[in-house]
Amino acid sequence: MKLYSTNNKDLRVSFKEAVFNSMPKDKGLYMPVEIPKLSKDFIENIENFSLQDIAKQVASALLKNDIEIEALNALVEDAVNFDAPVVKLDDQTFVLELFHGPSLAFKDFGARFMSRVMAHFLKDGEKLLDVLVATSGDTGGAVALGFLGVPNTRVTILFPKGKVSEVQRLQLTTNGKNISAIAVDGTFDDCQALVKQAFADDELNAKFRLTSANSINIARLIPQTFYYLNAYAQLKRQGFDKVVFTVPSGNFGNIGAGSLAYKMGLPVKSFVAATNANDTVPRFLEGGIYETKPSVQTYANAMDVGAPSNWVRIMDMFNENREEINKLVKAYRFTDEETLAGIRELFENFNYVACPHTAIAYLASKFYAANNPSENTAQVFLSTAHACKFPEVFPADILAKVALPTQVQSLKNNPEVYNELGKDFEGFKAYLLQK
Ligand SMILES: *Cc1c(COP(=O)(O)O)cnc(C)c1O
């Protein structure tokens, strides 16, 4: 596939170039010049396919000219090695659980696929690839576990000291091998600023082959289309022909991938974007101007984003036309109090323990369904992370019901290794140079 920049539609780069650069120099985002349509036959019979089969079909529709088919199929099989089940709560309400991967969050889909695509494109004997990533929690774990043991790659993760949960920290600090973690005495923004400075530093660029792993990378977006199609397949098996997806949104990569799946032919009645108080997109879709704001802290902290980086992709797919987006996408915001009430309601009514991001999606899904009654329509909200990653949010009675998945139990047996640094760039640079 060829890609252009959302800021320059005459630009043409290869998939490989887009993967290693993440972002065009003009600060737009890469988008496919042509979005291929999946065949009608495939969509009509999708209930007969597994998640891996669906993933292979989609990957080949997009990437068959970039990666030869046997290699692509092997890569997909290796990347998508866990399930994404749709769990029924009542006759029309379903939760799409995206937390069954190694880091217990949906970001595993993007990170595992991207790491394997990068490894595929790295030729033997080429310079080692150094991935630098700043994380507020979930991204780092997915990238660390996604790249763990991947040949010719090395990952350095910066996280704000004391500001990630225990499970998140263990996912960053217990890996060894090609993964190193740094606790920065500062905030997530400080971590991100250090990474940005490193990318702009001549000496570091001369010595290392640096790349980022953030959510704007096209190789993270593509694999997130797989589970939308696979959810549709599961609901079709249960007799539904109309589906509404509610997506808890921060940088809008997840719902961007849903929109890409829609453009490829996924039948969707609506998408609902659910946000916390960081409501740049709901304000815009309600008729306001598109005005980014500094992020505010909420219980759903993986969605504390005031300037959603993937929103331009959605604008691009809908010809920069808000009316067109409004026909397909609704957006609602919820406060921390409502989020807690949503967690409580899911627990009391369905005996279901959801992370705060998931609870916001539940609330938005319920609100949408109440205001848009529709026969034979499945209301599906996405669960983006396992509750055990956000224990500080839960009241004691619900916390007691949060199960610890096997992935976490094994983490606790490994020693933690990480460096501590201040937020000054010189310290970080010196650390990198002695690697
Ligand atoms: C990253 C993340 C989100 C937000 O996803 P976007 O693609 O940035 O919109 C939501 N929930 C959880 C748990 C996350 O880790």
Side-chain angles (χ1 to χ4, degrees):
M1 94 175 151
K2 288 271 179 283
L3 300 104
Y4 60 67
S5 163
T6 51
N7 283 345
N8 175 9
K9 298 208 171 169
D10 295 328
L11 186 82
R12 290 289 179 276
V13 303
S14 67
F15 176 61
K16 179 178 174 182
E17 191 176 338
V19 168
F20 284 122
N21 292 345
S22 263
M23 194 186 234
K25 289 218 165 48
D26 63 21
K27 304 263 162 58
L29 293 189
Y30 288 120
M31 281 299 285
V33 173
E34 261 176 70
I35 298 177
K37 280 266 180 217
L38 298 163
S39 77
K40 208 162 160 256
D41 192 52
F42 171 64
I43 296 287
E44 280 172 4
N45 294 294
I46 197 162
E47 65 272 26
N48 300 319
F49 292 92
S50 69
L51 172 59
Q52 283 196 347
D53 292 337
I54 291 169
K56 286 178 196 167
Q57 290 277 343
V58 177
S60 109
L62 287 161
L63 302 176
K64 59 177 180 293
N65 297 326
D66 303 278
I67 302 177
E68 63 281 13
I69 201 71
E70 290 78 32
L72 185 59
N73 283 342
L75 189 158
V76 167
E77 255 175 51
D78 188 31
V80 185
N81 65 346
F82 54 92
D83 208 5
V86 164
V87 173
K88 184 173 180 170
L89 296 186
D90 68 22
D91 286 349
Q92 64 154 15
T93 313
F94 299 83
V95 48
L96 169 55
E97 293 186 342
L98 300 175
F99 54 73
H100 295 283
S103 84
L104 307 169
F106 81 98
K107 291 184 172 78
D108 286 326
F109 280 91
R112 285 183 70 81
F113 188 80
M114 178 178 64
S115 61
R116 282 149 183 80
V117 166
M118 286 180 171
H120 170 84
F121 283 133
L122 286 171
K123 301 275 177 305
D124 280 345
E126 269 187 40
K127 209 172 185 177
L128 193 77
L129 186 70
D130 263 294
V131 181
L132 302 184
V133 54
T135 185
S136 60
D138 274 355
T139 297
V143 171
L145 294 162
F147 278 90
L148 183 62
V150 172
N152 293 327
T153 69
R154 199 161 64 166
V155 179
T156 305
I157 302 158
L158 290 84
F159 66 96
K161 187 178 155 190
K163 295 193 174 69
V164 302
S165 74
E166 187 194 5
V167 170
Q168 288 174 330
R169 194 189 68 243
L170 292 173
Q171 288 177 346
L172 303 175
T173 59
T174 58
N175 296 299
K177 293 192 186 163
N178 57 333
I179 313 295
S180 346
I182 301 174
V184 174
D185 194 4
T187 62
F188 166 64
D189 290 338
D190 294 322
C191 298
Q192 202 157 34
L194 288 173
V195 168
K196 279 198 178 146
Q197 278 172 285
F199 284 125
D201 187 273
D202 291 336
E203 197 181 348
L204 291 175
N205 278 293
K207 180 156 184 213
F208 301 113
R209 180 175 183 177
L210 299 178
T211 194
S212 83
N214 61 29
S215 80
I216 57 172
N217 197 299
I218 189 74
R220 274 182 64 172
L221 204 72
I222 289 169
Q224 295 182 52
T225 61
F226 305 161
Y227 51 71
Y228 285 96
L229 286 143
N230 184 56
Y232 177 73
Q234 292 175 69
L235 290 157
K236 241 186 130 196
R237 269 174 228 139
Q238 301 193 33
F240 289 94
D241 58 4
K242 281 179 279 185
V243 182
V244 176
F245 286 104
T246 300
V247 187
S249 296
N251 269 318
F252 283 71
N254 199 350
I255 200 168
S259 307
L260 180 60
Y262 167 79
K263 291 283 172 183
M264 292 183 78
L266 167 70
V268 178
K269 184 166 180 289
S270 287
F271 285 108
V272 180
T275 76
N276 55 30
N278 297 282
D279 63 348
T280 300
V281 168
R283 275 186 283 115
F284 171 66
L285 291 183
E286 283 158 12
I289 55 167
Y290 189 80
E291 186 192 12
T292 63
K293 292 196 173 165
S295 63
V296 297
Q297 207 181 334
T298 74
Y299 291 152
N301 60 23
M303 291 158 35
D304 291 348
V305 181
S309 54
N310 272 291
W311 182 250
V312 292
R313 284 203 161 111
I314 295 177
M315 292 299 284
D316 187 79
M317 279 185 268
F318 293 92
N319 307 313
E320 316 291 327
N321 184 327
R322 178 165 60 194
E323 306 314 312
E324 242 187 83
I325 299 176
N326 276 334
K327 280 184 210 154
L328 187 72
V329 183
K330 305 283 175 269
Y332 310 119
R333 68 179 72 64
F334 296 90
T335 65
D336 273 351
E337 292 67 47
E338 289 168 323
T339 305
L340 270 189
I343 288 174
R344 169 73 54 201
E345 192 175 307
L346 275 165
F347 180 64
E348 306 283 343
N349 293 358
F350 305 109
N351 196 26
Y352 193 86
V353 182
C355 88
H357 315 78
T358 305
I360 289 179
Y362 163 71
L363 293 169
S365 169
K366 192 176 131 183
F367 184 84
Y368 172 89
N371 289 284
N372 300 273
S374 167
E375 298 270 292
N376 202 28
T377 301
Q379 306 286 343
V380 183
F381 62 96
L382 277 55
S383 178
T384 43
H386 193 284
C388 74
K389 298 187 88 175
F390 304 91
E392 59 288 342
V393 176
F394 294 98
D397 62 325
I398 302 182
L399 187 62
K401 296 283 158 60
V402 177
L404 276 196
T406 49
Q407 290 98 317
V408 176
Q409 287 161 18
S410 58
L411 284 180
K412 296 202 169 180
N413 301 326
N414 298 341
E416 279 193 75
V417 180
Y418 59 95
N419 286 280
E420 295 194 33
L421 288 178
K423 57 189 177 188
D424 61 292
F425 179 61
E426 289 318 310
F428 179 46
K429 183 171 170 177
Y431 167 89
L432 287 175
L433 285 173
Q434 52 78 39
K435 282 198 111 170

